[in-house]
């Protein structure tokens, strides 16, 4: 175990295990009172709430429902009013290393101008606005501007394809897209606006009437008169003040699409009040954010981590944070370490995949090893998105954290809005590979299929017993799917996370053992196997049938492995390689490059039982390259196992 230092235990917001336990006890003895106290302390309300939790229409829970507030007021105005107007809110580190600092006053003015520009183009409270942007101050301001006028944003990660973007715009019924001409990543100019054009082609998204385009690179783009407007033109002449739209606490702040176990991504809907509370609270306690910190979360604003720990949490607390445009390997694999040194970052939050790939790079090239950079400013490290293996944890701790920085291994999900199970840096003793204990007030537990508690030391299903403020409110447009996915009737009204977990017999510490559904986690990116299967079979010219499973991968955590039956004879050699490439490109076009299968295996057919069910467990063994030990006697055609042994 690694214990917090004496100094950390004294100065942290949650100082020592006794303080942690006191908070847990407070939540246990008066659950609503605990959250109400924190909601009054951390959030500024226009109209104070009088009701805390409404469970009448469970599982559609409501928190602080009669309170009104505005998220952008909480993140910007109130900091300016508190005298932080000149404080740096965002240090923008561009792909090429150029730095732009934006103060709270400037971010407020830009947000207000954009809010006014949105209003001028008819965007109203409750409208959905899609943001398809790279990492930029403008991206954060766009989210804040939507929040300011009560529009619900839906950020789509800039790596998603035109088809994925179109699906999301249609599902959300978005009235506008805010985008950039191109994005810069690793010295390359990659299209954004061209993908928006393709997504909107042929009137496929009739609700979407406007496209606002931030000029990032000045690259060549097509223009649709009457629909497209440059951001700088839309902002010209707009006032730098804008009265916030005071919305009810349950007003939807955002939708964020994520993968589930069907082929169709779901629009996870988050609230305003409860979400903001947890974003601010977890930033304060898990990262122990203080006024002088320089906070850096390396996630993209297209993922939930970027929402909570870039666009909202640190700003709600008046912090200073880095917004990083580039990639960890450009100009070389020391970029993270050099950037930490350059900006004297104190809190650094990244994903295990990034750490693992930077370990590899550092091991083969001394020049990019973290020891070449002065990382003495760091005081807290974080990990998110997937399990961190103990070896990567130890390296991160020793070589990045200099052996002195606690690592907060934060378990949470798009649906949970913020951290659920995590160490607190000035309190929790750490065990590599464990996300340790629930955040105070979060009733995480491990149960069996019927919702009965299982003893520590025995694995089971991860659930959350009581509703919490930042939880998902519904799946946009599909409340039935929300109930079925997260509140299945056999689980006694508990929230089903979709992960398996185990608690240590002695410490009660949690370790996440992986998804229990058909969701894969590749480089911390969540993807549904069914989604990739539908993309493959939509290549109707080539593909007759496809099955997708995950297999362990040293760097990306999991890798996508696709088993494919073609409409033509099973290929081999160069022909198989060429078809595999065509299929990868196809999936990239349908979903995005992150969904490209790493392995493609061809068979005359897929292993099925005599009743016609694809034997997925068997496919997982084949994908891992393991000897097949399962009973194959029910297999229709045992000979195909050998065919599937070859990956392209
Ligand atoms: O399987 C868990 C894994 O990521 C899933 C959630 O993915 P997403 O909604 O994309 O959100 C990722 C960022 C919060 C979870 O169901 N996961 C996330 N954090 C951890 C993790 N697995 C193990 N340890 C973690 N710290």
């Amino acid at each position: 175990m690694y214990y917090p230092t004496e100094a950390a235990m004294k100065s942290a917001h949650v100082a020592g295990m006794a303080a942690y336990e006191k908070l847990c006890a407070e939540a246990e003895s008066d659950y609503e009172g605990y959250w109400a106290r924190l909601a009054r302390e951390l959030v500024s309300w226009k109209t104070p709430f009088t009701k805390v939790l409404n469970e009448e229409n469970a599982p559609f829970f409501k928190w602080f429902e009669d309170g009104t507030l505005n998220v952008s007021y909480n993140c910007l105005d109130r900091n300016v009013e508190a005298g932080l107007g000149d404080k740096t809110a965002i240090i923008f580190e561009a792909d090429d290393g150029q730095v732009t600092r934006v103060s709270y006053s400037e971010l407020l003015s830009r947000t207000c101008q954009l809010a006014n520009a949105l209003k001028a183009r008819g965007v109203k409270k409750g409208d959905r606005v899609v943001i398809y942007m790279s990492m930029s101050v403008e991206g954060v301001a766009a989210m804040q501007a939507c929040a300011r006028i009560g529009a619900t944003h839906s950020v789509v990660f800039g790596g998603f394809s035109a088809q994925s973007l179109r699906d999301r715009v249609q599902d959300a019924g978005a009235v506008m897209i805010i985008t950039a001409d191109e994005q810069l990543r690793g010295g390359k100019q990659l299209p954004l606006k061209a993908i928006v054009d393709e997504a909107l082609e042929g009137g496929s998204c009739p609700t979407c009437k406007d496209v606002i385009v931030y000029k990032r690179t000045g690259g060549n783009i097509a223009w649709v008169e009457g629909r497209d407007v440059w951001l700088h033109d839309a902002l010209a002449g707009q006032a730098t003040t804008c009265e916030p739209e005071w919305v009810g606490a349950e007003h939807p702040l955002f939708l964020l699409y994520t993968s589930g176990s069907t082929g169709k991504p779901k629009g996870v809907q988050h609230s305003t009040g409860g979400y903001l509370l947890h974003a601010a609270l977890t930033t304060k306690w898990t990262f122990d954010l203080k006024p002088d910190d320089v906070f850096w979360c390396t996630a993209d604003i297209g993922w939930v981590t970027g929402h909570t720990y870039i666009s909202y949490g640190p700003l709600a607390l008046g912090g200073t944070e880095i917004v990083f445009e580039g990639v960890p390997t450009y100009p070389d694999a020391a970029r993270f370490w050099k950037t930490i040194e350059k900006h004297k970052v104190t809190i650094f939050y990244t994903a295990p995949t990034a750490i693992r790939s930077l370990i590899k790079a550092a091991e083969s090239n001394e020049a990019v090893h973290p020891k070449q950079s002065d990382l003495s400013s760091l005081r807290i490290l974080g990990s998110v998105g997937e399990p961190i293996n103990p070896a990567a944890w130890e390296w991160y701790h020793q070589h990045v954290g200099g052996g002195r920085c606690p690592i907060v291994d934060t378990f949470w999900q798009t649906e949970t809005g913020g951290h659920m199970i995590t160490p607190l840096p000035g309190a929790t003793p750490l065990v590599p590979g464990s996300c340790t204990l629930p955040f105070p007030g979060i009733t995480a537990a491990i149960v069996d299929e019927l919702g009965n508690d299982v003893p520590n030391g025995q694995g089971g299903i991860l659930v959350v017993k009581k509703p919490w403020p930042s939880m998902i409110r519904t799946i946009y447009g599909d409340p039935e799917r929300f109930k079925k996915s997260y509140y299945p009737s056999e689980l006694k009204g508990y929230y089903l996370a979709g992960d398996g977990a185990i608690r240590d017999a002695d410490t009660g510490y949690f370790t996440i053992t992986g998804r229990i559904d058909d969701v894969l986690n590749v480089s911390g990116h969540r993807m549904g196997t069914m989604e990739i299967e539908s993309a493959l079979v939509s290549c109707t010219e080539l593909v007759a049938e496809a099955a997708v499973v995950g297999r362990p991968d040293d760097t990306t955590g999991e890798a996508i492995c696709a088993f494919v039956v073609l409409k033509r004879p099973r290929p081999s050699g160069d022909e198989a390689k060429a078809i595999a490439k065509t299929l990868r490109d196809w999936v990239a076009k349908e979903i995005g490059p992150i969904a490209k299968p790493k392995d493609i295996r061809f068979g005359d057919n897929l292993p099925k039982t005599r009743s016609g069910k694809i034997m997925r467990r068997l496919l997982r063994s084949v994908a891992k390259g393991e000897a097949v030990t399962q009973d194959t006697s029910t297999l229709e055609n045992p000979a195909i196992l050998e065919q599937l042994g070859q990956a392209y």
Side-chain angles (χ1 to χ4, degrees):
M1 280 212 185
Y2 292 81
Y3 290 88
T5 60
E6 285 295 322
M9 279 202 271
K10 285 210 183 84
S11 64
H13 285 302
V14 179
M17 268 322 254
Y20 167 78
E21 277 154 14
K22 197 167 155 219
L23 291 166
C24 296
E26 182 190 347
E28 198 170 329
S29 69
D30 178 9
Y31 192 66
E32 291 189 29
Y34 167 80
W35 287 115
R37 170 176 77 78
L38 294 165
R40 290 188 186 106
E41 284 176 19
L42 279 119
V43 176
S44 299
W45 300 85
K46 179 72 172 173
T47 326
F49 57 88
T50 62
K51 293 186 204 157
V52 182
L53 170 63
N54 177 345
E55 300 186 87
E56 270 162 35
N57 192 21
F60 300 93
F61 301 103
K62 292 181 178 156
W63 284 90
F64 318 120
E65 61 182 305
D66 61 349
T68 65
L69 73 162
N70 182 280
V71 164
S72 111
Y73 173 82
N74 272 270
C75 293
L76 303 173
D77 309 58
R78 81 165 164 172
N79 291 319
V80 174
E81 288 165 14
L84 300 180
D86 292 334
K87 182 175 178 178
T88 300
I90 293 177
I91 303 170
F92 177 65
E93 164 85 18
D95 190 53
D96 65 1
Q98 267 196 44
V99 177
T100 317
R101 288 170 185 272
V102 181
S103 68
Y104 272 94
S105 303
E106 286 166 41
L107 190 58
L108 173 60
S109 308
R110 287 208 213 177
T111 297
C112 287
Q113 273 196 310
L114 182 50
N116 288 328
L118 298 185
K119 284 203 283 191
R121 301 186 81 78
V123 181
K124 303 179 305 297
K125 175 181 171 188
D127 284 346
R128 274 82 54 218
V129 171
V130 162
I131 299 173
Y132 186 66
M133 288 268 248
S134 55
M135 291 295 287
S136 52
V137 176
E138 285 67 20
V140 176
M143 294 165 80
Q144 289 284 346
C146 288
R148 195 158 192 95
I149 64 171
T152 300
H153 61 69
S154 183
V155 185
V156 177
F157 174 60
F160 278 118
S161 68
Q163 179 62 43
S164 293
L165 177 61
R166 181 185 306 134
D167 290 345
R168 285 156 175 76
V169 171
Q170 285 173 344
D171 191 83
V175 299
M176 173 188 275
I177 301 179
I178 305 176
T179 189
D181 51 358
E182 292 178 321
Q183 53 183 331
L184 272 174
R185 286 172 68 82
K188 293 195 198 92
Q189 290 177 222
L190 304 169
L192 283 172
K193 170 66 163 57
I195 294 172
V196 170
D197 291 340
E198 195 185 333
L200 299 182
E201 220 166 50
S204 60
C205 303
T207 55
C208 185
K209 304 263 192 276
D210 290 278
V211 177
I212 295 188
V213 188
Y214 163 53
K215 191 182 248 180
R216 174 66 187 107
T217 64
N220 242 336
I221 53 169
W223 203 253
V224 177
E225 283 306 328
R227 185 197 74 182
D228 301 346
V229 61
W230 285 111
L231 176 67
H232 53 260
D233 289 335
L235 295 181
Q238 295 295 347
T240 53
T241 55
C242 171
E243 174 65 13
E245 178 81 39
W246 305 103
V247 298
E250 281 298 318
H251 184 73
L253 177 64
F254 66 89
L255 310 178
L256 187 56
Y257 285 81
T258 190
S259 298
S261 23
T262 72
K264 192 173 171 268
K266 42 196 179 187
V268 171
Q269 181 177 318
H270 276 287
S271 71
T272 295
Y275 171 80
L276 180 66
L277 165 61
H278 207 55
L281 182 66
T282 49
T283 306
K284 182 167 176 179
W285 289 356
T286 309
F287 296 121
D288 193 37
L289 190 77
K290 305 252 176 63
D292 293 335
D293 276 311
V294 177
F295 179 80
W296 185 12
C297 164
T298 67
D300 191 285
I301 53 167
W303 308 114
V304 75
T305 308
H307 282 57
T308 307
Y309 301 108
I310 295 178
S311 300
Y312 295 118
L315 297 177
L317 297 182
T320 295
E321 63 175 339
I322 311 268
V323 169
F324 175 52
E325 181 179 42
V327 298
T329 48
Y330 177 81
D332 61 33
R335 183 66 184 268
F336 276 180
W337 323 134
K338 287 185 181 149
T339 305
I340 291 170
E341 175 180 293
K342 178 173 170 187
H343 298 296
K344 301 204 168 31
V345 171
T346 58
I347 306 168
F348 180 65
Y349 190 36
T350 197
T353 290
I355 298 164
R356 285 190 295 262
S357 68
L358 297 177
I359 295 175
K360 269 197 188 163
E363 280 172 351
S364 61
N365 177 8
E366 281 265 297
V368 298
H369 195 281
K371 70 183 173 200
Q372 311 292 354
S373 301
D374 177 3
L375 304 181
S376 59
S377 56
L378 286 171
R379 66 180 192 96
I380 293 169
L381 301 175
S383 171
V384 60
E386 46 181 327
I388 176 160
N389 49 307
W393 194 103
E394 297 281 2
W395 188 92
Y396 192 29
H397 189 254
Q398 188 187 336
H399 296 291
V400 183
R404 65 178 191 282
C405 304
I407 298 177
V408 289
D409 174 1
T410 59
F411 168 83
W412 60 297
Q413 308 174 294
T414 304
E415 293 88 340
T416 70
H419 302 152
M420 299 301 279
I421 308 178
T422 178
L424 303 185
T428 322
L430 307 171
V431 171
S434 166
C435 52
T436 74
L437 296 169
F439 191 84
I442 299 298
T443 52
I446 300 180
V447 300
D448 65 17
E449 272 94 23
L450 296 173
N452 302 307
D453 288 308
V454 301
N456 289 357
Q458 196 176 308
I461 296 170
L462 181 65
V463 295
V464 185
K465 291 192 168 176
K466 291 185 193 168
W468 68 101
S470 65
M471 63 188 298
I472 173 176
R473 293 307 195 262
T474 189
I475 292 175
Y476 186 73
D478 201 348
E480 276 311 306
R481 188 173 173 199
F482 164 74
K483 276 207 266 190
K484 248 178 64 193
S485 310
Y486 303 108
Y487 285 92
S489 51
E490 63 280 11
L491 281 186
K492 302 186 174 171
Y494 300 159
Y495 166 83
L496 173 68
D499 283 288
I502 184 166
R503 296 188 77 159
D504 184 82
D506 298 325
T507 57
Y509 275 19
F510 286 74
T511 294
I512 307 298
T513 51
R515 298 289 304 193
I516 53 169
D517 52 12
D518 297 317
V519 169
L520 303 182
N521 193 325
V522 182
S523 304
H525 297 149
R526 190 167 146 179
M527 242 144 345
T529 52
M530 297 265 280
E531 229 176 308
I532 308 167
E533 285 169 13
S534 343
L536 283 166
V537 297
S538 74
C539 183
T540 48
E541 231 174 81
L542 279 173
V543 178
E545 207 179 3
V548 168
V549 300
R551 67 157 172 82
D553 182 276
D554 280 350
T555 305
T556 58
E558 268 187 300
I560 302 167
C561 182
F563 294 85
V564 176
V565 181
L566 294 176
K567 286 184 174 165
R568 57 165 89 173
R570 182 171 53 87
S572 59
D574 285 347
E575 191 199 3
K577 275 190 207 148
I579 296 180
K581 178 174 184 313
T582 308
L583 292 180
R584 281 191 189 99
D585 292 345
W586 179 273
V587 172
K589 189 176 85 42
E590 287 293 298
I591 304 176
I594 52 173
K596 277 188 186 182
K598 184 150 188 184
D599 302 343
I600 297 188
R601 295 163 187 264
F602 298 103
D604 290 337
N605 44 45
L606 294 177
K608 290 187 188 149
T609 60
R610 295 220 168 87
S611 60
K613 257 188 85 167
I614 295 179
M615 298 173 79
R616 285 177 185 276
R617 213 155 57 84
L618 190 149
L619 289 180
R620 279 193 278 271
S621 300
V622 175
K624 275 192 221 166
E626 286 177 352
V628 172
T629 51
Q630 287 105 317
D631 178 10
T632 51
S633 60
T634 53
L635 200 61
E636 212 182 335
N637 175 7
I640 54 169
L641 281 183
E642 204 183 312
Q643 300 171 3
L644 296 173
Q646 176 69 42
Y648 294 94

